[in-house]
Amino acid sequence: MTSVETSTDTPHVVICTTGGTITASTVPGGVVVAGDSDVATQAMLDGLRSVLPPSIRVSARAVLDADSSTFGPAEWDRMVDAVSGALADPGVTGVVVAHGTDTLEETVMALDLHHTDPRPVAVTGAQLPADHPESDGPANLLDAVLLAADPVSRGLGVLVVLGRAILQARGVRKWHTTEPVAFARNAPDLPVEGLPPELERPILPGRARFSGTRVDVVSCPPGSDAVALRACVDAGARGLV
């Protein structure tokens, strides 16, 4: 689904949708589920345009439509490709990714490791579903679009925008499951004094494919032997944490 305004001399922000609570609804029994992606995305855009300054135009691209708790390496690859594809258009001012909060911190790191373009990428979501009377999704999306359209955001890398907070991707963690300000950051503000520029926000030298590469995380309490480590290596792990 793509919507383009008639003006060609205004900022253009591409919204990549991936599902998540921001477009979800509540079914009888209180379970929050993803809705029809086209209908949900159109409703989201209609609401956005009703409050967005006319000087900013937006378009939407459906990348995924799922609960982000199911996302892993294959989905990270699709989102990295979607963002780089959107930024391949020189007429695009910035990109917004609408994402579930469960694995948002992993996605923003995957995106930021590949983001060499000065144009901003703002990742946002919601703590409350779209049909909740106090849904935070519309305000978060508006903030993310305004940020992505603003030249002041250039050169900052991938940004997380929720609950009126704006955080750089490095060190972002989800700290609360219900508070509007869902994310906090445990890394120092950039630039870091004393570090060379290339180490302040290191970027991968080329495109890394996450899917198809096995990296296992192993807990090693005091007194552990190498049984678990050897099992991971035997299973084909390319790396261990």
Side-chain angles (χ1 to χ4, degrees), residues 86-226:
L87 292 175
D89 181 353
V92 170
T93 308
V95 176
V96 168
V97 179
H99 196 286
T101 60
D102 285 340
T103 58
L104 185 145
E105 63 195 61
E106 287 84 2
T107 292
V108 298
M109 190 65 188
L111 292 173
D112 201 46
L113 283 169
H114 290 91
H115 189 52
T116 59
D117 195 297
R119 289 172 290 178
V121 174
V123 183
T124 191
Q127 294 283 67
L128 298 171
D131 60 349
H132 193 283
E134 298 178 359
S135 176
D136 55 331
N140 288 338
L141 183 65
L142 175 62
D143 286 345
V145 170
L146 292 175
L147 186 72
D150 195 326
V152 74
S153 305
R154 290 176 63 88
L156 297 179
V158 177
L159 302 169
V160 176
V161 183
L162 264 95
R164 308 313 301 269
I166 301 170
L167 304 170
Q168 288 179 298
R170 306 298 169 108
V172 159
R173 295 294 303 274
K174 184 175 181 180
W175 79 277
H176 209 284
T177 58
T178 59
E179 288 290 332
V181 183
F183 290 85
R185 191 165 175 268
N186 62 3
D189 292 331
L190 301 179
V192 179
E193 186 176 356
L195 283 179
E198 65 272 15
L199 295 182
E200 291 175 357
R201 182 177 151 260
I203 305 295
L204 292 174
R207 177 68 166 90
R209 290 285 165 185
F210 296 104
S211 56
T213 302
R214 178 173 183 140
V215 177
D216 290 319
V217 180
V218 182
S219 176
C220 295
S224 297
D225 58 23

